Amino acid sequence: MKRFVRWVAFVAIGLVALAAIGYGILVVASNRALDQRVAVTPPAPVLGHASVERGSHIYNAISSCVVCHGADGGGGPFINEPAMAVLNAPNLTRGAGGVGAAYADADYDRAIRRGIRADGTRLLIMPSWAYAAFSNDDAASVIAYLRSLAPVDRVTPRVRLGPVGRFLIATHQLPFDATRIEDETAPAPPTSITRADYGKYLTRVGVCMTCHGTHLSGGHLAGPPEAPPAANLTPTAFGNWTAADFMRTLTKGKDPTGHQLDAFMPWRTIRNMTDDELEAIFTYLQTVPKRPTGNG
Ligand code: HEC
Ligand code: HEC
């Protein structure tokens, strides 16, 4: 009996030691991913015609920055699940705790369009793949808007990862947008030649593709496990919607079947797009190839 107890104790100690070693490896691997630096070029001017008004429309309507960084741009808690991560959306203003005082336009631009901080580390969660398609004018406009914000004094500490978050990063299940952008051969050229082209541009910089997939066929591509899968926006599921149905769904948050859209779908921000913009998106959606639901 005594021997048996000793044996059990050995096994238990062995398992704890193994778990500790495993966790140690996880911490090292996830820290290495978080600390990995991408070579950053020296600040260069952001070329493009800047309009604060256009920047405000992008921040508050088209690109949903407001959802995470707040109406005042001061950021705050975004994910607060210690097992996963405690993550703040940073304070983007020039107030105390904000990046604005230290950031040159090029630093903002690198963060927004490439997903990389001034120190070369890569941003998590921030949907920079979507914003990588911003035209120079739109990038310059968002930056001009950020600079126009009143300073907010709010400290927004860097991410603190829990074991689940570390696991997801170490196993590349929580990818960095910076890497996705780097791996992409040809970023979509910003055009506004036809209505459908402009709609395509808006579906990317409007973050629709981050949640509904590059091919817009939906599925569970972003967000916490409890969020519903994003809908299929290709003509398969969408065939008999009229432009009016589409506009009503996105402005009232209720689709033609009477289904109330989950709050994870940011229709309260999207509804601030102009009718022209929403119609351009609808026009584009009718041109994308049909696809079965759920593979992005
Ligand atoms: C889904 C939420 C989300 C949206 C939408 C979003 N951001 Fe972010 N953003 C974040 C998070 C979270 C971080 C910090 C990531 C980290 O710490 O790894 C961040 C980081 C940044 C940074 C870098 C700050 C720094 O510390 O260097 C800038 C600049 C920024 N965002 C601007 C924007 C702008 C402009 C938009 C809209 C065009 C936008 N963000 C949309 C969540 C978001
Ligand atoms: C943060 C993730 C996210 C973003 C960004 C997002 N969506 Fe969604 N969307 C969803 C989810 C999740 C659903 C399903 C909601 C539900 O089932 O209640 C949805 C549902 C919809 C629906 C309703 C479809 C139906 O059959 O009821 C439409 C239309 C839609 N999205 C269009 C868009 C467009 C256009 C954009 C970009 C301008 C966009 N979405 C951006 C996550 C997102």
Side-chain angles (χ1 to χ4, degrees):
M1 188 62 195
K2 231 170 155 186
R3 259 177 73 183
F4 177 71
V5 171
R6 206 181 311 150
W7 186 79
V8 169
F10 270 135
V11 171
I13 291 170
L15 286 179
V16 169
L18 268 183
I21 292 170
Y23 191 65
I25 292 174
L26 209 57
V27 169
V28 170
S30 53
N31 280 350
R32 190 180 293 165
L34 277 188
D35 295 342
Q36 188 177 321
R37 273 155 218 262
V38 178
V40 294
T41 43
V46 178
L47 301 170
H49 173 76
S51 144
V52 172
E53 201 186 331
R54 171 74 180 163
S56 169
H57 185 60
I58 292 170
Y59 186 94
N60 294 295
I62 294 178
S63 298
S64 290
C65 319
V66 65
V67 171
C68 302
H69 293 282
D72 62 2
F78 182 66
I79 299 176
N80 194 2
E81 295 181 44
M84 169 74 186
V86 178
L87 176 69
N88 283 291
N91 178 350
L92 303 178
T93 73
R94 59 187 190 282
V99 297
Y103 266 19
D105 285 2
D107 296 316
Y108 273 126
D109 190 32
R110 195 188 298 112
I112 296 168
R113 285 201 284 190
R114 289 181 57 204
I116 301 168
R117 280 193 198 82
D119 67 5
T121 55
R122 298 165 297 174
L123 300 171
L124 277 170
I125 306 290
M126 161 76 182
S128 291
W129 176 82
Y131 309 142
F134 271 141
S135 66
N136 287 335
D137 285 358
D138 280 353
S141 297
V142 180
I143 294 166
Y145 176 68
L146 295 178
R147 291 221 182 278
S148 79
L149 290 169
V152 176
D153 296 336
R154 190 176 303 145
V155 176
T156 50
R158 287 272 272 264
V159 62
R160 220 177 51 236
L161 288 176
V164 179
R166 288 188 182 282
F167 179 77
L168 293 179
I169 287 183
T171 56
H172 306 292
Q173 292 178 73
L174 190 64
F176 291 93
D177 272 33
T179 312
R180 191 175 172 195
I181 295 163
E182 214 171 282
D183 291 348
E184 193 177 56
T185 38
T191 57
S192 55
I193 301 163
T194 68
R195 202 174 176 76
D197 286 337
Y198 191 49
K200 181 177 186 181
Y201 175 72
L202 292 172
T203 6
R204 178 151 173 184
V205 303
V207 202
C208 324
M209 285 181 181
T210 298
C211 292
H212 291 269
T214 322
H215 303 293
L216 297 161
S217 67
H220 202 288
L221 304 169
E226 66 271 17
N232 186 352
L233 300 182
T234 74
T236 314
F238 235 50
N240 46 8
W241 282 38
T242 62
D245 289 334
F246 183 75
M247 309 285 282
R248 216 173 297 121
T249 304
L250 291 184
T251 49
K252 307 271 185 260
K254 203 183 253 188
D255 78 9
T257 69
H259 170 70
Q260 179 75 43
L261 300 187
D262 187 89
F264 186 60
M265 159 68 193
W267 63 272
R268 285 195 165 79
T269 311
I270 293 171
R271 75 169 162 193
N272 297 322
M273 287 198 210
T274 64
D275 286 0
D276 236 26
E277 287 159 353
L278 289 175
E279 278 168 23
I281 292 177
F282 184 69
T283 305
Y284 168 62
L285 291 179
Q286 288 177 310
T287 69
V288 304
K290 290 182 184 176
R291 277 179 178 258
T293 301
N295 43 14

